[in-house]
Coordinates of all heavy atoms in Angstrom, one line a residue:
R1 N -128.0 -202.3 -25.3 CA -127.5 -203.0 -26.5 C -127.6 -202.0 -27.7 O -128.6 -201.9 -28.3 CB -128.3 -204.3 -26.8 CG -128.5 -205.1 -25.5 CD -127.3 -205.8 -25.0 NE -127.5 -206.6 -23.8 CZ -127.2 -207.9 -23.7 NH1 -126.6 -208.5 -24.7 NH2 -127.4 -208.5 -22.5
P2 N -126.5 -201.3 -28.0 CA -126.6 -200.3 -29.1 C -127.1 -200.9 -30.4 O -127.8 -200.1 -31.1 CB -125.1 -199.9 -29.2 CG -124.5 -200.2 -27.9 CD -125.2 -201.4 -27.4
S3 N -126.9 -202.1 -30.7 CA -127.3 -202.7 -32.0 C -128.9 -202.7 -32.1 O -129.4 -202.8 -33.2 CB -126.8 -204.1 -32.1 OG -127.3 -205.0 -31.1
L4 N -129.6 -202.5 -31.0 CA -131.0 -202.5 -31.0 C -131.6 -201.1 -31.1 O -132.8 -201.0 -31.1 CB -131.6 -203.2 -29.7 CG -131.2 -204.6 -29.5 CD1 -131.7 -205.1 -28.1 CD2 -131.7 -205.5 -30.6
H5 N -130.7 -200.1 -31.3 CA -131.2 -198.7 -31.3 C -130.9 -197.9 -32.5 O -130.8 -196.7 -32.5 CB -130.6 -198.0 -30.0 CG -131.2 -198.6 -28.7 ND1 -132.3 -198.1 -28.2 CD2 -130.7 -199.5 -27.9 CE1 -132.6 -198.8 -27.0 NE2 -131.6 -199.7 -26.9
G6 N -130.8 -198.6 -33.7 CA -130.8 -197.9 -34.9 C -129.4 -197.3 -35.3 O -128.4 -197.6 -34.7
R7 N -129.5 -196.3 -36.2 CA -128.3 -195.7 -36.7 C -127.6 -194.7 -35.8 O -126.4 -194.5 -35.9 CB -128.6 -195.0 -38.1 CG -129.2 -196.0 -39.1 CD -129.6 -195.3 -40.4 NE -128.5 -194.7 -41.1 CZ -128.7 -194.0 -42.3 NH1 -129.9 -193.9 -42.8 NH2 -127.6 -193.5 -42.8
E8 N -128.4 -194.1 -34.9 CA -127.8 -193.3 -33.9 C -128.2 -193.8 -32.5 O -129.1 -193.4 -31.8 CB -128.4 -191.8 -34.0 CG -128.0 -191.2 -35.3 CD -128.4 -189.7 -35.4 OE1 -129.0 -189.2 -34.5 OE2 -128.1 -189.1 -36.4
P9 N -127.5 -194.9 -32.1 CA -128.0 -195.6 -30.9 C -128.0 -194.9 -29.6 O -128.9 -195.1 -28.8 CB -127.0 -196.8 -30.9 CG -125.8 -196.3 -31.6 CD -126.3 -195.4 -32.7
V10 N -127.0 -194.0 -29.3 CA -127.0 -193.4 -28.0 C -128.1 -192.4 -27.8 O -128.8 -192.5 -26.8 CB -125.6 -192.7 -27.8 CG1 -125.7 -191.9 -26.5 CG2 -124.5 -193.8 -27.7
P11 N -128.5 -191.5 -28.8 CA -129.6 -190.6 -28.6 C -130.9 -191.4 -28.4 O -131.8 -191.1 -27.6 CB -129.6 -189.8 -29.8 CG -128.2 -189.8 -30.3 CD -127.7 -191.1 -30.0
H12 N -131.1 -192.5 -29.2 CA -132.3 -193.3 -29.1 C -132.4 -194.0 -27.8 O -133.4 -194.1 -27.2 CB -132.4 -194.3 -30.3 CG -133.6 -195.1 -30.3 ND1 -133.8 -196.3 -29.7 CD2 -134.8 -194.8 -30.9 CE1 -135.0 -196.7 -29.9 NE2 -135.6 -195.9 -30.7
L13 N -131.2 -194.6 -27.4 CA -131.2 -195.3 -26.1 C -131.5 -194.3 -25.0 O -132.3 -194.7 -24.0 CB -129.8 -195.9 -25.9 CG -129.5 -196.5 -24.6 CD1 -130.5 -197.6 -24.3 CD2 -128.0 -197.0 -24.6
R14 N -131.0 -193.1 -25.0 CA -131.3 -192.1 -24.0 C -132.8 -191.9 -23.9 O -133.4 -191.9 -22.8 CB -130.6 -190.8 -24.3 CG -130.8 -189.7 -23.2 CD -130.2 -188.4 -23.6 NE -128.7 -188.5 -23.7 CZ -128.0 -188.5 -24.8 NH1 -128.6 -188.4 -26.0 NH2 -126.7 -188.6 -24.8
R15 N -133.4 -191.6 -25.0 CA -134.9 -191.3 -25.1 C -135.7 -192.5 -24.5 O -136.6 -192.4 -23.7 CB -135.3 -191.0 -26.5 CG -134.8 -189.6 -27.0 CD -135.6 -189.2 -28.2 NE -135.4 -190.1 -29.3 CZ -134.4 -190.1 -30.2 NH1 -133.5 -189.2 -30.1 NH2 -134.3 -191.0 -31.2
Y16 N -135.3 -193.7 -25.1 CA -136.0 -194.9 -24.7 C -135.9 -195.2 -23.2 O -136.9 -195.5 -22.5 CB -135.5 -196.1 -25.5 CG -136.2 -197.4 -25.1 CD1 -137.5 -197.6 -25.3 CD2 -135.4 -198.4 -24.5 CE1 -138.1 -198.8 -24.9 CE2 -136.0 -199.6 -24.1 CZ -137.4 -199.8 -24.3 OH -137.9 -201.0 -23.9
A17 N -134.7 -195.1 -22.7 CA -134.5 -195.4 -21.2 C -135.3 -194.4 -20.4 O -136.0 -194.9 -19.4 CB -133.0 -195.3 -20.9
L18 N -135.3 -193.2 -20.7 CA -136.0 -192.2 -19.8 C -137.5 -192.4 -19.9 O -138.2 -192.2 -19.0 CB -135.6 -190.8 -20.3 CG -134.2 -190.4 -19.9 CD1 -133.8 -189.0 -20.5 CD2 -133.9 -190.3 -18.4
E19 N -138.0 -192.8 -21.1 CA -139.4 -193.1 -21.3 C -139.8 -194.3 -20.4 O -140.8 -194.3 -19.8 CB -139.7 -193.4 -22.7 CG -139.7 -192.1 -23.6 CD -139.9 -192.5 -25.1 OE1 -139.9 -193.7 -25.4 OE2 -140.0 -191.5 -25.9
V20 N -138.9 -195.3 -20.4 CA -139.2 -196.5 -19.6 C -139.2 -196.2 -18.1 O -140.1 -196.6 -17.4 CB -138.2 -197.6 -19.9 CG1 -138.3 -198.8 -18.9 CG2 -138.4 -198.1 -21.3
F21 N -138.2 -195.4 -17.7 CA -138.1 -195.0 -16.3 C -139.4 -194.3 -15.9 O -140.0 -194.6 -14.8 CB -137.0 -194.0 -16.0 CG -135.6 -194.6 -16.3 CD1 -134.5 -193.8 -16.2 CD2 -135.4 -195.9 -16.5 CE1 -133.2 -194.3 -16.4 CE2 -134.1 -196.4 -16.8 CZ -133.1 -195.6 -16.7
E22 N -139.9 -193.3 -16.7 CA -141.0 -192.6 -16.3 C -142.3 -193.4 -16.3 O -143.1 -193.3 -15.4 CB -141.2 -191.4 -17.3 CG -142.4 -190.5 -17.0 CD -142.5 -189.3 -17.9 OE1 -141.8 -189.3 -19.0 OE2 -143.2 -188.4 -17.6
A23 N -142.4 -194.3 -17.3 CA -143.6 -195.2 -17.4 C -143.7 -196.2 -16.2 O -144.7 -196.5 -15.7 CB -143.6 -195.9 -18.7
L24 N -142.5 -196.7 -15.8 CA -142.5 -197.8 -14.8 C -142.2 -197.3 -13.4 O -142.3 -198.2 -12.5 CB -141.4 -198.9 -15.2 CG -141.5 -199.5 -16.6 CD1 -140.6 -200.7 -16.7 CD2 -142.9 -200.0 -16.8
A25 N -141.9 -196.1 -13.2 CA -141.5 -195.6 -11.9 C -142.4 -196.0 -10.8 O -141.9 -196.5 -9.7 CB -141.4 -194.0 -11.9
P26 N -143.7 -196.0 -10.9 CA -144.6 -196.4 -9.8 C -144.5 -197.9 -9.5 O -144.9 -198.3 -8.4 CB -146.0 -196.0 -10.3 CG -145.8 -195.0 -11.3 CD -144.5 -195.4 -12.0
S27 N -143.9 -198.6 -10.4 CA -143.8 -200.1 -10.3 C -142.5 -200.6 -9.8 O -142.3 -201.8 -9.6 CB -144.2 -200.8 -11.6 OG -145.5 -200.4 -12.1
L28 N -141.5 -199.7 -9.6 CA -140.1 -200.1 -9.4 C -139.6 -199.7 -8.0 O -140.0 -198.7 -7.4 CB -139.2 -199.4 -10.4 CG -139.5 -199.8 -11.9 CD1 -138.5 -198.9 -12.8 CD2 -139.3 -201.3 -12.2
A29 N -138.7 -200.6 -7.5 CA -138.0 -200.3 -6.3 C -136.8 -199.5 -6.6 O -136.4 -198.6 -5.9 CB -137.5 -201.6 -5.6
A30 N -136.1 -199.8 -7.8 CA -134.9 -199.1 -8.1 C -134.6 -199.4 -9.6 O -135.2 -200.3 -10.3 CB -133.7 -199.7 -7.3
V31 N -133.6 -198.7 -10.1 CA -133.0 -199.0 -11.5 C -131.6 -199.4 -11.3 O -130.8 -198.8 -10.5 CB -133.1 -197.7 -12.3 CG1 -132.4 -198.0 -13.7 CG2 -134.5 -197.2 -12.5
K32 N -131.2 -200.5 -11.9 CA -129.9 -201.1 -11.8 C -129.2 -200.9 -13.1 O -129.6 -201.5 -14.2 CB -130.0 -202.6 -11.4 CG -128.6 -203.3 -11.3 CD -128.7 -204.7 -10.8 CE -129.3 -205.6 -11.8 NZ -128.3 -205.9 -12.9
F33 N -128.0 -200.2 -13.1 CA -127.2 -200.0 -14.3 C -126.1 -201.0 -14.3 O -125.2 -201.0 -13.4 CB -126.7 -198.6 -14.3 CG -127.8 -197.5 -14.4 CD1 -128.2 -196.9 -13.3 CD2 -128.4 -197.2 -15.6 CE1 -129.2 -195.9 -13.4 CE2 -129.4 -196.3 -15.7 CZ -129.8 -195.6 -14.6

């Protein structure tokens, strides 16, 4: 949801998503896009 990621949503979304993947990786079966 770009509206949740500030004035430059795509760069922020990229950083946030990768941080979430890394933090949750041991707890996940998969990522669904």
Side-chain angles (χ1 to χ4, degrees):
R1 313 289 175 128
S3 61
L4 299 177
H5 292 276
R7 299 175 66 179
E8 297 186 359
V10 171
H12 184 271
L13 175 56
R14 180 187 296 109
R15 290 193 301 273
Y16 176 66
L18 292 173
E19 288 173 353
V20 172
F21 296 173
E22 184 174 12
L24 301 190
S27 304
L28 299 176
V31 176
K32 180 174 73 70
F33 296 98

